[in-house]
Amino acid sequence: MKLVALFDDFLKETVNLNKTRIDLLEASIPALESFVRDSDWTPRVRSFAEQGSWAHETIIRPVDGGEFDADLLVMADPVEGWTAAEYVESLGRVFSGSKTYEDKTKTWDYCVTITYAGDRKIDLAPCVVGRRWDGSMEVCNSKGSFELSVPVDYTAWMKERNAYSGGNSFRKVTRLMKYLRDIKTTFTCPSVLLTTLLGNQIHWFDKDTDAFADVPTTLQTVVGRLDDWLRMHPIRPSVKNPKLSSEDFSPLFGSDDQYSNFRTVIARYRKWIDEAHATEGRQESIAAWQKVFGEEFGKASIIKVAADAAADGLAKVRGLLSSTAAHLNELVDVVKNYGISVLPLDFSRPPHIRQPTWRQAPSLATVPVTAEWREQRASTGRAIRAGDVLRPHGGLHFKASDTDGRPMPPEFEVQWRITNTGAVAMAKGAGRGGFYPENSSHGRWETLNFRGVHLAEAFVVRRSDDVLVGVSKPFYVVIE
């Protein structure tokens, strides 16, 4: 199934950078621009331009909760005799010499990074305009030379591909693939390379076709075409900048092994995406998409289904209960399907249960209880949790401990209230509900006999004055 609405929710709640952080980013830009214009930086500033994921509107929320990156080009006139390094290094000195930005500034090969700790990083990259010819643009590499660039044209190409896909789906698919890369960490592929590879799979004749009907369909189409293209190129091919043929992005793949891994991983995700599309049934399809994107996909829907199931289970339980605790046998099946959480609060207090007669301490401690399934009177067994479904064979050994998990000290005795419910036990007069002393080493042994949902509770009594000082929560024993 395509689950279009769940893709919308997943993008909004998990993948997309939230509006608050976008607003903070955009609020920072005017101050940075004014600072550069008013500074003593030698080049004359022409303008500023967004670049990369921010300009393309494919920026995503960092999966580790850290800072996100945004790129801002500083368009500047050339300075006679300056090297590429001087543009970057001098801009870095301007920021690091400022009281406002000195603690936020880091200078790299291509840019100056301003870090707003825990929130965002803004990379300001000098871009020299008109040094080679009128209108030419060059980014500066402080360890190399001027590099011809067409950032504005590339952004226009990206927007063109997005228009061909319709419904803003190319942007959304690019965000999804970047999220997949970051959350799974099974492949490496820088954003400009990944965006180019995906955009190359979309053409003018795709506009308004069924292959791009919605986001999950666009995802299937684009990833499928990318996998086909990669299969045709077992050796790393060139990936040209669509607006600058002299620029090849393929070195960004990394090593040949990294390229080979990228091919393998894309083929795997294509298979999983195709399977998720083909899977029938809403919950089954959510599980298939979670195989691709992780447990956050469809999480809210799954929680709602669980809540609905619990409510349905509770309604079924109430229909099976009786005022005599002779509950219908079907109660076991309902608890087996929905868990003991569906039992109402008053279930642990059936009519035949006996109340304690000891004097009580002002406040009662909560007593931990553990249980082991054992063969008849065996000395060891396997741990059992409250609510585990058991067959009517062998028995349970219950043990109470102090709050640190140690055996109960000898100055205290433990009395066990054992209460059976269910039609079989009640018909045989075996409802019990009274108090029983320990009958084995530091615990109480009980055989598993009657189908139903039963209870074991520990009551800790101080021997010196016969005062009740602690009580456990009911330990539910479910016998099928």
Side-chain angles (χ1 to χ4, degrees):
M1 295 179 68
K2 294 194 291 187
L3 304 176
V4 176
L6 290 190
F7 268 92
D8 290 341
D9 292 342
F10 181 55
L11 282 159
K12 180 180 178 182
E13 301 298 332
T14 303
V15 177
N16 296 347
L17 189 65
N18 52 301
K19 186 177 183 302
T20 300
R21 300 184 82 179
I22 290 288
D23 290 344
L24 285 172
L25 167 64
E26 294 179 347
S28 304
I29 300 304
L32 291 171
E33 293 178 355
S34 296
F35 175 80
V36 175
R37 287 188 183 278
D38 296 340
S39 72
D40 58 0
W41 192 48
T42 301
R44 187 181 75 86
V45 177
R46 289 192 175 196
S47 61
F48 297 86
E50 301 170 10
Q51 187 187 26
S53 300
W54 178 27
H56 307 156
E57 298 181 40
T58 60
I59 196 167
I60 66 170
R61 191 177 309 185
V63 297
D64 60 0
E67 298 104 344
F68 65 92
D69 298 326
D71 300 321
L72 183 67
L73 291 175
V74 185
M75 303 293 193
D77 285 341
V79 177
E80 185 68 28
W82 270 32
T83 64
E86 287 179 276
Y87 289 90
V88 180
E89 292 169 358
S90 62
L91 185 61
R93 287 193 295 270
V94 166
F95 274 97
S96 60
S98 159
K99 290 184 183 286
T100 302
Y101 297 108
E102 60 180 346
D103 296 333
K104 300 181 176 69
T105 300
K106 176 77 174 178
T107 302
W108 305 94
D109 293 347
Y110 287 89
C111 65
V112 177
T113 298
I114 308 300
T115 301
Y116 300 83
D119 185 72
R120 60 202 182 281
K121 296 179 180 178
I122 300 175
D123 297 333
L124 292 98
C127 182
V128 181
V129 181
R131 194 187 72 92
R132 293 197 191 185
W133 64 79
D134 187 29
S136 67
M137 296 182 184
E138 299 168 284
V139 293
C140 304
N141 183 349
S142 65
K143 291 186 177 178
S145 59
F146 298 98
E147 299 177 7
L148 200 61
S149 182
V150 286
V152 177
D153 291 343
Y154 183 91
T155 298
W157 171 84
M158 198 276 175
K159 292 179 178 178
E160 178 184 66
R161 263 39 192 182
N162 192 60
Y164 292 158
S165 71
N168 208 30
S169 62
F170 174 38
R171 282 195 178 106
K172 293 175 181 178
V173 164
T174 302
R175 291 181 213 143
L176 288 169
M177 292 301 293
K178 289 168 69 174
Y179 176 85
L180 182 61
R181 173 197 64 192
D182 294 351
I183 200 71
K184 292 293 185 72
T185 66
T186 52
F187 67 92
T188 56
C189 188
S191 293
V192 66
L193 175 58
L194 183 60
T195 300
T196 304
L197 289 170
L198 297 173
N200 284 344
Q201 314 311 317
I202 304 173
H203 312 285
W204 63 267
F205 49 79
D206 287 319
K207 188 171 176 59
D208 298 326
T209 62
D210 290 343
F212 293 84
D214 45 57
V215 170
T217 304
T218 299
L219 176 69
Q220 183 183 40
T221 299
V222 170
V223 173
R225 290 178 180 180
L226 176 59
D227 179 46
D228 290 340
W229 183 82
L230 291 169
R231 288 173 187 269
M232 293 188 295
H233 296 88
I235 305 301
R236 181 174 56 183
S238 64
V239 182
K240 300 292 187 181
N241 183 327
K243 290 298 182 178
L244 184 62
S245 60
S246 62
E247 185 174 18
D248 185 5
F249 294 139
S250 65
L252 298 175
F253 277 120
S255 67
D256 290 340
D257 287 343
Q258 286 174 302
Y259 173 70
S260 177
N261 175 71
F262 181 73
R263 293 177 73 242
T264 300
V265 170
I266 292 300
R268 180 194 311 151
Y269 289 141
R270 177 196 190 168
K271 178 176 180 291
W272 291 355
I273 290 168
D274 288 345
E275 289 173 349
H277 262 268
T279 300
E280 297 294 334
R282 182 178 176 85
Q283 297 309 307
E284 293 79 4
S285 184
I286 289 175
W289 282 115
Q290 286 184 331
K291 186 177 181 181
V292 181
F293 293 111
E295 294 181 356
E296 290 300 315
F297 183 91
K299 183 177 181 180
S301 179
I302 291 175
I303 291 173
K304 182 179 184 302
V305 168
D308 290 345
D312 181 51
L314 181 58
K316 290 180 178 179
V317 165
R318 293 196 181 280
L320 296 170
L321 296 180
S322 76
S323 60
T324 64
H327 313 311
L328 298 180
N329 285 336
E330 288 86 347
L331 178 64
V332 172
D333 297 322
V334 175
V335 173
K336 185 176 180 179
N337 290 331
Y338 295 100
I340 58 174
S341 62
V342 301
L343 295 172
L345 294 176
D346 58 357
F347 183 88
S348 62
R349 294 294 177 266
H352 62 285
I353 202 168
R354 297 180 186 176
Q355 298 303 315
T357 57
W358 303 281
R359 291 185 298 114
Q360 293 188 15
S363 61
L364 296 178
T366 299
V367 179
V369 167
T370 57
E372 284 187 351
W373 181 89
R374 298 180 182 179
E375 293 285 358
Q376 186 75 21
R377 296 292 182 174
S379 58
T380 60
R382 60 183 173 88
I384 295 297
R385 297 173 301 177
D388 285 353
V389 180
L390 306 170
R391 298 182 62 81
H393 170 68
L396 291 183
H397 183 263
F398 296 100
K399 183 180 292 186
S401 59
D402 66 15
T403 54
D404 294 322
R406 297 171 300 196
M408 200 62 64
E411 58 265 30
F412 298 94
E413 69 169 314
V414 180
Q415 290 282 326
W416 293 89
R417 183 164 65 184
I418 306 298
T419 308
N420 292 333
T421 72
V424 176
M426 299 305 290
K428 293 188 175 184
R432 301 174 69 183
F435 294 88
Y436 306 87
E438 294 189 328
N439 60 1
S440 64
S441 177
H442 300 292
R444 175 78 192 177
W445 164 263
E446 289 285 340
T447 56
L448 302 175
N449 291 321
F450 306 113
R451 179 180 174 89
V453 182
H454 314 299
L455 303 96
E457 300 164 276
F459 291 74
V460 177
V461 180
R462 190 166 53 220
R463 296 181 188 275
S464 62
D465 55 6
D466 209 33
V467 170
L468 181 66
V469 295
V471 178
S472 74
K473 294 179 180 178
F475 191 104
Y476 288 96
V477 179
V478 182
I479 304 176
E480 62 180 356

